[in-house]
Amino acid sequence: MDLPAPTLEDIRWQAVLARSQEQNFLYAVTTQGVYCRPGCPSRPPLRRNARFYADAPAAEAAGFRACKRCDPKGERAAMQRAGVEAAMRMIETAETIPSLEALANNAGYARHHFLRLFKEIAGVTPRSYAESVRGRRLSAALAEGTRVADAVAEAGFGSESRVYETPGRHLGMTPGAARRGGQGETILTARAQSAMGPLLVGATVAGICFIGFAEDFAALEGDLRHRFPAARVEAAPDALAETMRAIITYIEEPKAALALPLDLRGTAFQRRVWEALQRIPFGETRSYSALAAAMDMPRATRAVARACAQNHVSLAVPCHRVVGQDGSLTGYRWGLARKKRLLEQERAARGSPD
């Protein structure tokens, strides 16, 4: 005998029991007089005491008030974000890195609580954020042709040794190379036609630094040169032949994750996001919020989305596997139709027998 199909309330109740973070409804508890998000950490109520509502106004119209633990209206979260954004502005405008205590006092929180909030919302610690600010200042000064020693001082590093102590940490290359726009580096490139249109691959001695497709070759090479304006760009189809074959094969019929040696250049946070993208299993997708949660930064969703958009090695760092919270396709540099095609092919390959 066929079992009756679950009702909408049955589905919502299971989401409450699972403490699902990705649901577009609220539940109320009649014995408590409060309404919550499905992911509320509070103990689930008895089924007979649960009521479901589409949004906060509907729950409040029924006489319920917002839970203080899960903050379903987002008021506490908005205050916390404002405090962290104020601290970020303080870091941006300071000549030297402010102390954690000064930042916490400015935001109105205790040090340890502020540190946790900053990591959740910004995705990095205040120290890492401050270092990225200094890195941007240094990069901008070098791009203007400022002498390395002067640029280092203006950026707030104090001495050149601080910049060179961890090669690539702040710029992805040495300050001298950054000042020269990549001068002294050679980017090998290869072109091909693929099922997704024109395909351009760029590689340094460290690995693949660019994969672009679906635009004309002039636009793709322009994008690559924008990253390395003074680097020597040299066509090397033979040297990249094996890599190109692997990428073309993947585009035509993906059967497994695309594994290539990569030269990923970005901030510490960006690289962390790109590494998280590479951990999304082949044939699966994640929402931006789920990706942020997997990185233990549930409130850094917007920062995660920005880092995904700054990925220069599409396919190898599979930003196409990130979708909207409701499963819908979201923005993709190479077009939503191509994103849909990639996801459908990966799902089909994952579901087919070996």
Side-chain angles (χ1 to χ4, degrees):
M1 185 171 118
D2 294 335
L3 295 175
T7 65
L8 177 60
E9 288 204 352
D10 291 334
I11 295 172
R12 287 177 167 178
W13 175 243
Q14 291 303 315
V16 170
L17 294 179
R19 289 192 169 90
S20 174
Q21 299 288 339
E22 300 188 26
Q23 298 294 329
N24 296 318
F25 71 89
L26 301 170
Y27 75 92
V29 186
T30 57
T31 53
Q32 300 291 329
V34 301
Y35 65 91
C36 307
R37 300 178 188 272
C40 183
S42 300
R43 182 177 178 181
L46 295 176
R47 175 66 181 86
R48 63 174 180 270
N49 296 329
R51 302 291 184 271
F52 302 100
Y53 298 96
D55 51 33
E60 291 178 359
F64 295 98
R65 66 183 186 279
C67 170
K68 293 184 178 180
R69 292 195 68 183
C70 65
D71 188 29
K73 296 179 73 174
E75 293 175 340
R76 185 175 70 249
M79 291 177 59
Q80 292 171 343
R81 177 173 290 278
V84 169
E85 289 176 347
M88 294 167 75
R89 288 192 296 272
M90 184 175 175
I91 292 172
E92 293 273 1
T93 57
E95 291 186 6
T96 59
I97 297 179
S99 68
L100 178 59
E101 184 174 2
L103 292 169
N105 288 340
N106 184 65
Y109 295 103
R111 289 177 57 201
H112 294 297
H113 184 51
F114 170 77
L115 179 60
R116 180 178 61 80
L117 289 178
F118 196 100
K119 288 178 66 176
E120 288 182 356
I121 294 171
V124 292
T125 64
R127 167 64 65 173
S128 294
Y129 183 78
E131 289 181 349
S132 72
V133 169
R134 293 196 302 182
R136 290 200 304 272
R137 290 175 182 168
L138 177 59
S139 180
L142 293 170
E144 292 173 358
T146 306
R147 289 192 320 121
V148 171
D150 294 337
V152 167
E154 290 173 10
F157 283 96
S159 68
E160 291 184 50
S161 63
R162 298 290 300 277
V163 181
Y164 286 100
E165 62 188 4
T166 308
R169 176 180 179 184
H170 304 288
L171 299 171
M173 62 186 83
T174 67
R179 181 176 182 269
R180 296 187 298 270
Q183 184 177 351
E185 287 197 276
T186 298
I187 312 295
L188 302 180
T189 63
R191 300 178 175 190
Q193 289 293 338
S194 73
M196 295 286 195
L199 171 66
L200 179 69
V201 175
T204 67
V205 293
I208 305 302
C209 64
F210 181 85
I211 299 176
F213 52 92
E215 296 178 356
D216 61 71
F217 288 121
L220 293 173
E221 186 167 320
D223 192 358
L224 172 64
R225 288 183 180 276
H226 180 73
R227 292 204 75 206
F228 304 92
R232 178 183 179 185
V233 178
E234 180 180 303
D238 292 339
L240 295 175
E242 186 176 345
T243 295
M244 186 62 82
R245 279 194 296 272
I247 297 173
I248 290 175
T249 299
Y250 179 88
I251 290 175
E252 291 178 349
E253 189 178 359
K255 295 182 179 180
L258 187 60
L260 297 170
L262 303 177
D263 182 359
L264 300 179
R265 302 189 184 191
T267 66
F269 176 72
Q270 287 172 335
R271 290 196 296 270
R272 188 177 174 192
V273 172
W274 299 336
E275 289 165 2
L277 288 171
Q278 291 176 285
R279 290 194 294 271
I280 299 176
F282 178 82
E284 297 185 15
T285 59
R286 297 289 186 272
S287 69
Y288 291 106
S289 58
L291 188 64
M295 297 169 61
D296 294 324
M297 298 181 294
R299 284 190 279 185
T301 301
R302 285 190 290 183
V304 166
R306 285 195 298 272
C308 290
Q310 291 159 341
N311 167 33
H312 293 277
V313 282
S314 300
L315 306 178
V317 174
C319 53
H320 62 275
R321 293 180 192 155
V322 185
V323 298
Q325 184 170 324
D326 60 357
S328 61
L329 299 184
T330 53
Y332 187 55
R333 159 74 185 275
W334 314 110
L336 294 184
R338 294 180 179 87
K339 180 172 184 174
K340 180 180 179 183
R341 181 178 183 273
L342 285 168
L343 293 176
E344 288 177 346
Q345 287 180 307
E346 288 187 356
R347 283 194 290 265
R350 180 185 174 103
S352 63
D354 294 335

